[in-house]
Amino acid sequence: MTEEFIQFTGKEDGSTSIVLVGVHGDEVCGVRALELLLPTLALEKGTVWFGYGNPRAIEKGVRYMEQNLNRMFKDDGSLSLKEKMSYEYGRAQYLKEYLDQAGALLDVHASFTPDSKPFLICEQNARGITEYLPVDLVVSGFDGVQPGGTDCFMNRSGKIGICIECGYLGDPTSTQRASDAIIAFLKARGHMSNDIQPQTQSTIQMKEMYITKTDRFTLSRSFVDFEEILEGEVIGCDGFEEIRLQSNGIILFARDRNQKGDEAFLFGEKVSGPTK
């Protein structure tokens, strides 16, 4: 990785887009995808910035250095002094300069859960792009329950923010999925001729993120991402308090936690089955 941002420009005028990889340094599928794609990539229209989100973390192979970079894109008033003194905060300010230049973003991620299902995170404004991406599950509502990501920053700015979760970070197919998604994004944005047909996709709306009240949150059992949960089921214990769901729905990113104020799990509801 010799440059943190690489600009490609087509022969004709067009839109400006940005592709980010490595916002979490240990999610290497996007980094590897750019290594494969950029040497031979040619655009027909517009401008695209390809950027490495957290180069220090990428170099060390860790999620982040001091703070989660994908929570640093909030208003300053929502961030603590410790967060604002971190390397990631400064990095977020730098990345905003590029995000401000683009009309749409694709941010490439992966999960450390081995059975993770690929999915897209976006809001309704991205529908004309996401239907061309090689993922059959679209999840909305993250801006409300888990703000601070690059996609949320773009949406707040009246632009389009899309995050793709490419599956398990240790699965080699995550790199191919990242590559396919980047090319599909470029085609959907008009930077390349679009020969892709829109595909069927299911939709989930996130409703709530549970934040730990104590420094000891323990799950009642292992939960698979997007597992269907019934009203009243015990998800875990936060200290001595049993945490139960108040309605039927799905669970995502459920983890044991050992610090007060951590993100323990997300809860959402299915909106629709496969639709075009």
Side-chain angles (χ1 to χ4, degrees), residues 191-205:
H191 300 293
M192 305 169 71
S193 297
N194 190 359
D195 55 359
I196 305 172
Q197 293 298 315
Q199 66 168 325
T200 58
Q201 294 173 320
S202 301
T203 306
I204 288 175
Q205 181 75 22

Side-chain angles (χ1 to χ4, degrees), residues 18-34 37 50-51 53 58 70 105-111 119-120 133 150-151 162-167 174-183 185:
I18 184 167
V19 175
L20 279 182
V21 302
V23 167
H24 293 138
D26 56 352
E27 298 171 11
V28 297
C29 61
V31 176
R32 291 172 177 164
L34 291 193
L37 293 174
F50 296 92
I58 293 170
N70 217 32
L105 158 76
L106 179 67
D107 190 351
V108 182
H109 287 258
S111 170
F119 65 100
L120 299 170
L133 303 188
T150 56
D151 50 331
I162 303 168
C163 170
I164 180 169
E165 292 282 350
C166 293
S174 65
T175 297
Q176 186 60 55
R177 185 172 291 110
S179 298
D180 292 344
I182 291 169
I183 292 297
F185 174 75

Side-chain angles (χ1 to χ4, degrees), residues 22-198:
V23 167
H24 293 138
D26 56 352
E27 298 171 11
V28 297
C29 61
V31 176
R32 291 172 177 164
L34 291 193
E35 292 173 353
L36 295 171
L37 293 174
L38 295 189
T40 59
L41 183 68
L43 302 184
E44 298 169 16
K45 297 180 180 180
T47 299
V48 180
W49 288 100
F50 296 92
Y52 297 88
N54 195 331
R56 290 187 187 177
I58 293 170
E59 183 178 357
K60 291 185 176 296
V62 296
R63 184 171 174 83
Y64 53 78
M65 301 303 295
E66 298 172 292
Q67 298 288 330
N68 185 348
L69 177 57
N70 217 32
R71 302 293 180 271
M72 292 293 107
F73 293 87
K74 304 174 184 176
D75 294 333
D76 272 11
S78 301
L79 296 170
S80 68
L81 178 60
K82 181 179 180 180
E83 288 172 324
K84 286 188 281 190
M85 292 179 65
S86 69
Y87 161 73
E88 275 78 15
Y89 174 80
R91 187 65 188 169
Q93 309 319 303
Y94 175 76
L95 292 175
K96 287 177 184 179
E97 297 177 11
Y98 289 90
L99 294 172
D100 284 340
Q101 299 179 47
L105 158 76
L106 179 67
D107 190 351
V108 182
H109 287 258
S111 170
F112 55 82
T113 304
D115 56 3
S116 178
K117 178 181 176 64
F119 65 100
L120 299 170
I121 298 172
C122 64
E123 301 305 324
Q124 186 61 35
N125 64 343
R127 183 60 184 168
I129 299 173
T130 56
E131 60 187 347
Y132 293 100
L133 303 188
V135 179
D136 61 11
L137 179 61
V138 177
V139 183
S140 299
F142 266 78
D143 286 2
V145 302
Q146 196 181 60
T150 56
D151 50 331
C152 181
F153 175 81
M154 292 292 283
N155 292 330
R156 288 203 320 267
S157 302
K159 302 178 181 183
I160 297 173
I162 303 168
C163 170
I164 180 169
E165 292 282 350
C166 293
Y168 178 48
L169 55 83
D171 184 350
T173 62
S174 65
T175 297
Q176 186 60 55
R177 185 172 291 110
S179 298
D180 292 344
I182 291 169
I183 292 297
F185 174 75
L186 298 179
K187 290 182 175 182
R189 285 284 290 163
H191 300 293
M192 305 169 71
S193 297
N194 190 359
D195 55 359
I196 305 172
Q197 293 298 315

